[in-house]
């Protein structure tokens, strides 16, 4: 087996034994209470999942294996001459639980390079769709076409033993992560660049090569891709894309099927698609106001108009976070370093000054602060990537790192098929009257 696989197996075996002991001694302890409102309102705050790769704190934001985003930007290995972390390093951290050395990261990059060949029929599946198909639809179709390569599906059909599931999931996950940048770049060049495709560069890191295949050779853009692919990778287990991948995987659907399902969740406007909605919303504001530098007062009027039309302000709010998202702050710092005078980036900062008090004044929005999606598009536009319909695909490529590392852990720890209890309102009414137990069978 490879170094990464060996290390993962050793960690997973150790953790399995620990969990067995924990459950033996503490398995019947009560971990929390569930209120009826939580059952009706998106299960918010109910602890019901174990995800090893990262943990979200409402005030401090995301930590990957205990490390915050500023810490990762400092501690993870960088590309030669670069100052942003290599996402391969974050993947190693999520999978193994320890910070990687430079050598470890080079190893991950080399493994991904080696596995990156995309079969012809995947490109043909993309080509079978109309050019007008949304890039996220094209990406999901491509991932489904790649499923023909699943080692898990093949080995399961041949009678694989339970004890080997983790290995087949590990192999599929590495293959899928390796192939995604090529597939995603193909979709971009097909839809927006008249199908003039760019061959991969085997000397570049995973994110640098993605930038290259997209057609952006600027060193600043490559650095942005490294940061972007790092900060979008994981946000603990309950968000729609992570939870969906985990849920579908719990039925022993292979990593391609599971990740495609997660991508479909990411394509929703309240989740990953918000990144395209933010830039669309700002471009529409510029068009309506006939200026590329709207004043704070003009922004305020536009925000109020958005709300009066019964729409959400994209890029603001969060189901868990209650402060400015550190992923927003990391991008703001990148903007201040690389493009402080960019008008669109400055507008994003002016929106940040304007929106929170307005949302706060509504009295119902639990978090008036910006999330990751409020900033990402403006940085991409700066480098010339204006095709905002494509942005969620980039989020999806990054998200693969987190959700597939988690899927490896799910099978490595032998987690069960997920099957929570649901109820009917009729049963709730009876329960209120004291006529029935709400939790049956
Ligand atoms: N603009 C206007 N209203 C908002 C709002 C926003 N940005 N954020 C929340 N609200 C409203 C909700 O729609 C809800 O209204 P109703 O009671 O009328 O239905 C009310 O405030 C309470 O919502 P909440 O408890 O604060 O937020 P939720 O946990 O239900 O939803 C989220 C969280 C992210 C879906 C929501 O804040 C939102 O719609 N934001 C805009 C879309 C967005 O940026 N999504 C990306 C999130 C990050 C990601 O996953 O990529």
């Amino acid at each position: 087996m490879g170094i990464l696989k060996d290390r993962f197996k050793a960690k997973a075996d150790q953790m399995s034994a620990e969990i067995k002991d924990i459950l033996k001694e503490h398995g019947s302890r009560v971990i929390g209470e569930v209120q009826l409102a939580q059952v009706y309102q998106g299960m918010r705050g109910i602890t019901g999942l174990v995800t090893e790769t990262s943990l979200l704190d409402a005030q401090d934001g995301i930590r990957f294996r205990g490390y915050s985003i500023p810490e990762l930007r400092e501690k993870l290995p960088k590309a030669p001459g670069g100052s942003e972390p290599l996402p391969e390093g974050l993947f190693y951290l999520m999978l193994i639980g320890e910070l990687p050395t430079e050598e470890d990261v080079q190893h991950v990059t080399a493994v991904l390079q080696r596995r990156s060949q995309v079969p012809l029929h995947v490109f043909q599946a993309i080509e079978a769709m109309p050019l007008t198909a949304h890039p996220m639809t094209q990406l999901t179709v491509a991932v489904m076409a790649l499923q023909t390569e699943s080692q898990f599906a093949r080995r399961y059909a041949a009678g694989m033993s339970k004890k080997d599931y983790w290995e087949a999931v590990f192999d599929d996950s590495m293959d899928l992560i390796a192939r995604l940048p090529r597939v995603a770049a193909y979709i971009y060049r097909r839809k927006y660049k008249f199908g003039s495709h760019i061959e991969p560069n085997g000397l570049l890191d995973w994110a640098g090569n993605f930038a290259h295949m997209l057609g952006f050779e600027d060193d600043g853009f490559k650095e942005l891709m490294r940061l972007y692919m790092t900060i979008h990778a994981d946000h603990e287990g309950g968000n729609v894309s992570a939870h969906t991948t985990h849920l579908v995987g719990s039925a022993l659907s292979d990593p391609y099927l599971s990740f495609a399902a997660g991508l479909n969740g990411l394509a929703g406007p309240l989740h990953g698609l918000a990144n395209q909605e933010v830039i669309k919303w700002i471009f529409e504001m510029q068009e309506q106001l006939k200026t590329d530098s709207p004043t704070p007062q003009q922004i305020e009027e536009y925000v109020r108009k958005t709300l009066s039309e019964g729409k959400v302000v994209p890029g603001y709010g969060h189901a868990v976070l209650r402060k400015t998202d550190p992923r927003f702050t990391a991008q703001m710092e990148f903007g201040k370093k690389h493009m402080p005078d960019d008008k669109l980036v400055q507008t994003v900062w002016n929106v940040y000054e304007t929106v929170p008090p307005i949302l706060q004044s509504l009295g119902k929005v639990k978090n008036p602060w910006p999330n990751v999606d409020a900033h990402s598009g403006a940085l991409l536009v700066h480098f010339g990537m204006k095709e905002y319909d494509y942005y969620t695909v980039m989020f999806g490529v990054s998200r693969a790192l987190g959700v597939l590392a988690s899927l490896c852990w799910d099978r490595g720890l032998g987690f069960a098929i997920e099957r929570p209890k649901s109820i009917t309102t009729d049963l709730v009414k009876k329960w209120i009257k004291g006529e029935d137990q709400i939790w049956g069978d």
Side-chain angles (χ1 to χ4, degrees):
M1 282 197 266
I3 303 171
L4 202 60
K5 208 191 248 183
D6 285 343
R7 286 183 192 167
F8 171 73
K9 176 69 173 142
K11 293 278 179 189
D13 284 350
Q14 185 192 336
M15 181 72 93
S16 284
E18 282 169 17
I19 292 173
K20 218 169 153 190
D21 287 347
I22 291 171
L23 290 180
K24 204 168 145 201
E25 209 168 320
H26 306 284
S28 58
R29 277 175 73 169
V30 176
I31 201 165
E33 286 180 352
V34 178
Q35 293 168 0
L36 186 58
Q38 290 174 292
V39 175
Y40 273 97
Q41 293 165 353
M43 298 193 280
R44 205 71 83 255
I46 299 177
T47 302
L49 289 171
V50 173
T51 301
E52 306 290 357
T53 47
S54 65
L55 186 67
L56 183 56
D57 180 89
Q59 306 299 324
D60 296 341
I62 192 69
R63 281 181 181 270
F64 300 82
R65 298 285 191 174
Y67 294 99
S68 68
I69 285 178
E71 285 167 345
L72 291 181
R73 287 179 85 191
E74 189 202 319
K75 290 181 198 297
L76 283 179
K78 322 272 185 296
S83 54
E84 297 299 342
L86 286 165
E88 293 93 318
L90 177 71
F91 179 67
Y92 182 101
L93 176 67
M94 290 189 290
L95 198 63
I96 306 297
E98 290 166 13
L99 279 176
T101 62
E102 299 265 349
E103 237 184 0
D104 293 331
V105 170
Q106 281 164 13
H107 172 72
V108 178
T109 303
V111 170
L112 294 178
Q113 281 283 6
R114 220 172 32 243
R115 291 172 174 242
S116 63
Q117 187 70 28
V118 176
L120 183 64
H121 75 270
V122 175
F123 299 121
Q124 288 167 339
I126 298 171
E127 292 294 343
M129 273 179 290
L131 267 183
T132 49
H134 191 279
M136 280 302 278
T137 307
Q138 299 194 37
L139 181 64
T140 310
V141 165
V143 171
M144 290 304 300
L146 269 172
Q147 192 269 345
T148 55
E149 309 306 292
S150 173
Q151 303 193 40
F152 186 93
R154 185 176 48 74
R155 289 179 65 182
Y156 193 89
M160 170 170 54
S161 157
K162 273 181 179 184
K163 69 175 175 39
D164 296 329
Y165 290 169
W166 73 272
E167 190 187 9
V169 165
F170 184 99
D171 283 332
D172 277 355
S173 298
M174 295 303 290
D175 285 345
L176 182 46
I177 290 168
R179 291 162 175 173
L180 271 176
R182 177 94 164 102
V183 164
Y186 188 93
I187 292 166
Y188 180 74
R189 303 291 302 179
R190 170 181 189 246
K191 190 166 166 79
Y192 308 109
K193 303 292 169 188
F194 307 102
S196 72
H197 297 291
I198 299 171
E199 288 299 309
N201 177 345
L203 299 175
L204 285 169
D205 54 284
W206 184 74
N209 193 26
F210 184 29
H212 159 74
M213 289 186 286
L214 286 167
F216 294 85
E217 294 302 348
D218 191 303
D219 282 343
F221 188 86
K222 290 201 175 92
E223 278 290 272
L224 176 60
M225 272 308 91
R226 291 169 190 132
L227 176 65
Y228 191 113
M229 293 293 134
T230 299
I231 62 176
H232 286 81
D234 210 33
H235 219 222
E236 74 168 34
N239 66 77
V240 172
S241 52
H243 188 189
T244 307
T245 306
H246 163 80
L247 167 69
V248 175
S250 82
L252 297 186
S253 306
D254 64 58
Y256 296 89
L257 299 173
S258 307
F259 179 60
L263 280 178
N264 283 319
L266 193 72
L270 295 189
H271 189 18
L273 203 81
N275 62 5
Q276 80 165 43
E277 295 301 299
V278 167
I279 285 300
K280 187 168 162 234
W281 181 77
I282 295 180
F283 282 168
E284 282 169 5
M285 168 165 61
Q286 291 178 340
E287 209 176 293
Q288 281 180 28
L289 300 171
K290 307 212 175 330
T291 172
D292 56 5
S293 294
T295 64
Q297 201 195 340
Q298 285 175 313
I299 294 173
E300 181 173 340
E301 280 164 22
Y302 187 72
V303 171
R304 291 197 188 281
K305 182 169 167 286
T306 301
L307 293 169
S308 73
E309 289 166 353
K311 298 189 245 177
V312 294
V313 178
Y316 282 76
H318 201 273
V320 181
L321 277 169
R322 294 295 175 260
K323 284 264 172 74
T324 295
D325 190 335
R327 301 173 298 175
F328 177 91
T329 311
Q331 296 180 91
M332 194 161 155
E333 283 169 15
F334 187 93
K336 287 192 170 147
K337 182 173 166 191
H338 293 271
M339 59 203 71
D341 301 324
D342 183 292
K343 285 185 181 159
L344 184 64
V345 171
Q346 284 177 349
T347 299
V348 165
W349 299 341
N350 288 335
V351 170
Y352 180 31
E353 296 289 315
T354 315
V355 168
I358 300 176
L359 290 183
Q360 243 154 0
S361 72
L362 298 179
K364 64 172 183 178
V365 181
K366 296 194 189 66
N367 177 40
W369 304 105
N371 58 57
V372 66
D373 301 314
H375 209 309
S376 53
L379 302 179
L380 296 168
V381 172
H382 173 83
F383 289 103
M385 184 185 265
K386 298 191 175 113
E387 302 90 352
Y388 53 73
D389 278 6
Y390 184 75
Y391 293 170
T392 313
V393 169
M394 306 175 93
F395 195 156
V397 173
S398 168
R399 189 44 60 109
L401 298 174
V403 300
L404 292 173
S406 275
L407 206 60
C408 291
W409 274 98
D410 290 349
R411 296 291 78 77
L413 299 175
F415 283 169
I417 185 167
E418 197 171 282
R419 207 316 188 175
K421 176 85 186 104
S422 72
I423 48 173
T424 63
T425 300
D426 200 37
L427 191 69
V428 170
K429 287 182 192 162
K430 286 184 182 149
W431 171 73
I432 289 168
K433 286 190 206 153
E435 288 172 14
D436 214 330
Q437 282 277 332
I438 203 162
W439 43 92
D441 49 57

